[in-house]
Amino acid sequence: MSGGIAARLYRGEAGLNVVGRRKIWFMVAGIAVLIAVGSMFVRGFTLGIEFEGGNQFNVPVSVGTLEEVEQAFGDAGVEVKTGQTVGDSQYIIKTELINDVARQTEIKDEVAQKFGINATQISDSAVSTSWGGQVTNKAALSLVIFLAAVLAYLVFRFEWRMAVAAIASLLLDLALTGGVYSLVGFEVTPSTVIGFLTILGFALYDVVVVFDKVQENTKGITGSNNTTYGEAANLAVNQTLMRSINTGLVALLPVGGLLFIGAGLLEAGTLKDLGLVLFIGMGVAVYSSIFFATPVLAELKSREPRLQAHAQRVAARRTALAKEQARATATAPVDSDGVPIGGAKAERPVNPELAGAAPRPGARPAARPGAGKRPRAGGRPGGGSGRR
């Protein structure tokens, strides 16, 4: 069947050689991870006061712009870490930790005096460094528990190689999302941690869908010498490709609205940390489920002795059939245009699908010779009808 690229994607007939070119995808992923990790070490993260402690001051927006409020706190002798607008009513200014209560009151009085408002209109709260350390430890513990649960489930549901490939894909999602977060400089808050756990769940769903199709295509694959494991896995990627793209787009549209409209146009600052981690993480998850998880699985399976022997048998069979095809073509008499002479008895070319060539995504099995011919009713050898 013919059609455009979209139609062929929907039918799983795009024929993308994802697994066969896995070295390219590994190289792309490796370069991206190096950039991400380099940013984490060089730039680091902008940690919120929930993680490293600090003070938070709420100032009404009627006093002026956010920049003017940040400048007022700086003039009061306090280091401002982040400032953001919450709705249309107040600014949230997060500063370094100030343990002295008298100092906190002094800062509020100075800022209130500068803008000509009552100091009671400025509220404040403090987060200790010990509490921030507890939040960090709990976040790390949650991540470890999640990855352990994922590993156990995948080993039980599939096999350990699929579990390793899925965990590698999830770690890639974490590294690249964290790298983007470091490069952009958004504040890391508890909402960011929740966003990370959310994208891991999304990425796991997509990987499991692809691996389920891989398992279906490769079941009993060593029983025949027609297809290698890598080819069957690549076919599974093509068959689930459009589903992965559609799932990613449906998930990214509302998250994009949250990030670009909510945090960008409407200036809802509390949404930008969650929106960014979801948007980047889900986008990377779609890429990793298609171009990383299955290639890693194919690489691990290619080291299995029984599949190595099977791949050698497939290659040997294809070589023998190719030689047979070449001999048949060379011995067949042809006319001046290279067309076989009709009266000559020549061997028929070997059907590449029956010969064990790599399967084309979406191809239907070839019909057996003579299929579809119905015998005449009552017929028997000799052409008689059976009646005298």
Side-chain angles (χ1 to χ4, degrees):
M1 295 178 65
S2 61
I5 182 64
R8 289 188 285 118
L9 282 172
Y10 271 107
R11 296 194 298 266
E13 299 175 358
L16 300 179
N17 189 13
V18 175
V19 174
R21 298 175 179 172
R22 55 183 176 268
K23 291 183 179 180
I24 297 177
W25 314 128
F26 293 161
M27 182 175 64
V28 171
I31 293 174
V33 168
L34 285 176
I35 295 174
V37 173
S39 176
M40 294 179 197
F41 279 101
V42 175
R43 289 179 55 89
F45 293 99
T46 304
L47 298 178
I49 63 174
E50 296 87 355
F51 290 95
E52 62 177 7
N55 286 66
Q56 176 175 306
F57 295 88
N58 294 359
V59 183
V61 297
S62 58
V63 300
T65 65
L66 178 60
E67 290 76 14
E68 292 173 343
V69 174
E70 292 178 345
Q71 182 61 42
F73 276 92
D75 295 339
V78 61
E79 179 185 353
V80 177
K81 293 188 174 180
T82 61
Q84 60 187 31
T85 305
V86 179
D88 56 356
S89 60
Q90 62 180 353
Y91 299 123
I92 292 181
I93 305 299
K94 296 180 180 180
T95 70
E96 60 182 337
L97 181 61
I98 305 170
N99 293 314
D100 189 359
V101 178
R103 176 60 180 152
Q104 296 175 16
T105 304
E106 180 183 347
I107 292 172
K108 289 197 299 181
D109 290 340
E110 290 187 27
V111 174
Q113 183 178 3
K114 180 172 183 177
F115 292 111
I117 62 175
N118 195 308
T120 57
Q121 294 181 259
I122 302 176
S123 60
D124 68 298
S125 60
V127 177
S128 66
T129 54
S130 60
W131 192 86
Q134 292 176 7
V135 172
T136 304
N137 293 335
K138 289 180 180 179
L141 180 61
S142 300
L143 179 61
V144 171
I145 293 175
F146 178 87
L147 293 178
V150 167
L151 183 64
Y153 168 75
L154 292 176
V155 169
F156 174 77
R157 174 65 177 81
F158 298 108
E159 59 164 311
W160 71 266
R161 292 177 182 84
M162 286 188 173
V164 171
I167 293 296
S169 176
L170 296 181
L171 292 178
L172 176 66
D173 298 340
L174 286 175
L176 297 186
T177 306
V180 172
Y181 223 84
S182 172
L183 288 170
V184 174
F186 276 18
E187 184 181 22
V188 179
T189 66
S191 297
T192 308
V193 178
I194 295 172
F196 270 105
L197 296 177
T198 302
I199 63 172
L200 290 179
F202 175 84
L204 176 63
Y205 164 78
D206 214 19
V207 169
V208 168
V209 169
V210 179
F211 280 3
D212 187 67
K213 193 64 179 178
V214 171
Q215 187 181 54
E216 177 184 335
N217 287 359
T218 59
K219 186 176 182 180
I221 194 171
T222 55
S224 66
N225 297 332
N226 294 333
T227 308
T228 65
Y229 186 95
E231 292 166 349
N234 189 72
L235 178 61
V237 173
N238 279 269
Q239 290 170 333
T240 57
L241 180 63
M242 204 61 200
R243 178 174 181 174
S244 297
I245 294 175
N246 285 337
T247 302
L249 288 177
V250 170
L252 285 174
L253 286 176
V255 173
L258 180 72
L259 176 62
F260 298 109
I261 297 178
L265 296 179
L266 302 181
E267 297 183 351
T270 55
L271 299 177
K272 67 179 184 180
D273 48 356
L274 178 61
L276 180 67
V277 69
L278 290 178
F279 189 81
I280 299 301
M282 288 182 176
V284 173
V286 173
Y287 170 84
S288 64
S289 65
I290 298 172
F291 296 101
F292 189 76
T294 306
V296 169
L297 172 63
E299 182 67 25
L300 293 174
K301 295 293 286 187
S302 68
R303 303 173 187 274
E304 194 173 344
R306 68 183 185 90
L307 290 180
Q308 288 179 343
H310 174 252
Q312 292 173 357
R313 292 195 300 271
V314 172
R317 183 169 186 263
R318 290 177 182 172
T319 300
L321 289 170
K323 291 179 179 179
E324 179 183 349
Q325 177 76 19
R327 285 197 304 270
T329 304
T331 58
V334 296
D335 58 19
S336 59
D337 295 327
V339 179
I341 299 175
K345 183 179 179 181
E347 298 183 38
R348 296 178 61 188
V350 181
N351 187 323
E353 291 184 3
L354 296 179
R360 177 176 59 84
R364 295 181 179 179
R368 297 189 303 273
K373 295 182 180 180
R374 301 177 58 186
R376 290 181 298 174
R380 68 177 185 177
S385 63
R387 295 182 181 180
R388 295 187 182 274

